[in-house]
Amino acid sequence: MDPFDGPESHKIKLEASAEEACVPWSRFSAWLECVCVVTFDLELGQAIEKTSICYLSFPDSYSGCLGDTQFSFRLRQSVGRVSGSWFGEEDKYNRDAPLILQKELAHFYGYVYFRQVKDVSVKRGYFQKSLVLVSRLPYVQLFQSLLQIIAPEYFEKLEPCLEAVCNEIDQWPPPVPGQTLNLPVMGVVIFSVSLVFQNLLPAPMVLPTIHELDLFKCFQSVLIHLQMLWELMLLGEPLVVMAPSPTISSETVLALVSSICPLRYCCDFRPYFTIHDSEFKEYTTRTQAPPNVILGVTNPFFIKTFQCWPHVLRLGEVKMSGDLPKQVKVKKLAKLKTLDTKPGIYTAYKTFLHKDKALIKRLLKGIQRKRPSEVQSAILRRHLLELTQSFIIPLERYLASLMPLQRSVTPWKTPPQIRPFSQDEFMATLDHAGPQLTSMLKGDWMGLYKRFFRSPNFDGWYRLRHREMTQKVECLHLEAVCDSVSTESKAKSVQSMSLIQNKIFSIFKYMVLPHFHAPTPSNIY
């Protein structure tokens, strides 16, 4: 019998499960934080004036969005607000989910369906309303597809329809990584994780992913500069994406963030950012260097505001040059002055690695041959994945060498320490175990690593891996202690069980604490 799992603990577990089942809207909250309806009134302004959501839910006047528009935003949660519980479902979900699908602990995503149509009954002459799904989950494809189902119905039938949808979502099982779930809503059944939308009335609608965007569509005007954009993301450089609409802005920012997958992007990013955002002053101050953040904007006012930023991507509507999308050019930052600034990448950045001309040629040839966008995106995504893996594998291999040998873990000594990360030691391994083993790209890989070591993405990667390694060492030590118990006399058993209990608490601490102390200069040099 487990000494830590007696009858009383079973009773507590059953009571906790019953209490959880009775919590109102608990299943709804596993998917969504809330659903917002934002109506623009000429005299009152946006209806929910007290939050940033109202400003982020409407395209600004420069976008000229008529009809239905979908986009997304990301905003910081209120200061002092605690997300969930250390012992709650969010921790369990994030432990099982891949990095790119984990819940945000300090930010919310907003998924917007905006409708603007002429209406003579309205004083302004236009009906303007947004339906917004607010969630901590980065399921952009799932929630935008969900909005395509429920928003048109809501605009016709109003609150009763929305109330019914919320009640249906409250019946959904919680999101579980790797499982297929039936998610019924308004006569449509969503099957996740592969997410097949089977419409029970007309033909089925297939959604192959819950989070991946059409990368080719997002990058088709910057294909020849893909290597530069990947490096900027890898290094966490400040970047402004100026787009003609919030749809293009938000999709481009999210595509850029996903370009370094499976590495986590550890900087801030805002798919759609306005002058009314609560962080506007923080991000636009000229008294200090621009923060490590990607901002997606549509207001031409930002062209003047962000002249001091090192990298600006100005996008326009995609134009064709014959059969191919016209590619933007790299331009000097000094030319970023006027409101009618032409599309281009305004930067002085020089890439460390050469362009992959074979990839560019393959993608452009695919356009000429009318290759489906889904196939083009798959080619692009695989290239970016392999490029990121080629960069990360040498780091992972070196980090594994810092782990203590298993034979050095003994039951009656404290767990051995993980050796400190040495940049010089790592650089010395690149000649025989560097990215050249898995990537054909030429260039200054060592220079890229040196720059990466100064980036927030390295800091976030190292913290996560060091935490996982520490857990592993603690588990090996616990295993050694347990193995030694069976060979001891009864007199020492109590002492051993106390040591095991303390060890379990130590391991559990690493599993649930939301933050891990940053590596100090003494163990990174």
Side-chain angles (χ1 to χ4, degrees), residues 154-213:
Y154 164 72
F155 290 135
E156 296 295 328
K157 301 176 182 177
L158 302 179
E159 276 72 16
C161 169
L162 197 57
E163 184 177 350
V165 167
C166 290
N167 280 312
E168 284 186 296
I169 295 175
D170 194 38
Q171 301 304 312
W172 288 3
V176 179
Q179 288 192 9
T180 299
L181 307 176
N182 296 334
L183 311 175
V185 59
M186 294 182 65
V188 177
V189 178
I190 307 169
F191 297 101
S192 69
V193 171
S194 60
L195 288 182
V196 178
F197 279 60
Q198 182 181 342
N199 196 325
L200 302 183
L201 300 177
M205 178 176 66
V206 178
L207 184 67
T209 174
I210 56 176
H211 67 287
E212 291 177 347
L213 293 161

Side-chain angles (χ1 to χ4, degrees), residues 100 109 138 140 211-216 218-219 229-230 233-234 250-265 269 294 377 380-385 388:
I100 199 166
Y109 287 95
V140 58
H211 67 287
E212 291 177 347
L213 293 161
D214 187 339
L215 284 188
F216 180 72
C218 297
F219 292 148
L229 294 173
W230 177 82
M233 294 303 99
L234 182 72
S250 59
E251 288 183 351
T252 303
V253 170
L254 292 174
L256 286 169
V257 169
S258 71
S259 67
I260 61 171
C261 180
L263 183 67
R264 171 183 277 170
Y265 184 78
F269 60 95
I294 312 175
S377 289
L380 200 50
R381 184 170 288 107
R382 178 166 182 172
H383 166 79
L384 293 170
L385 174 65
T388 305

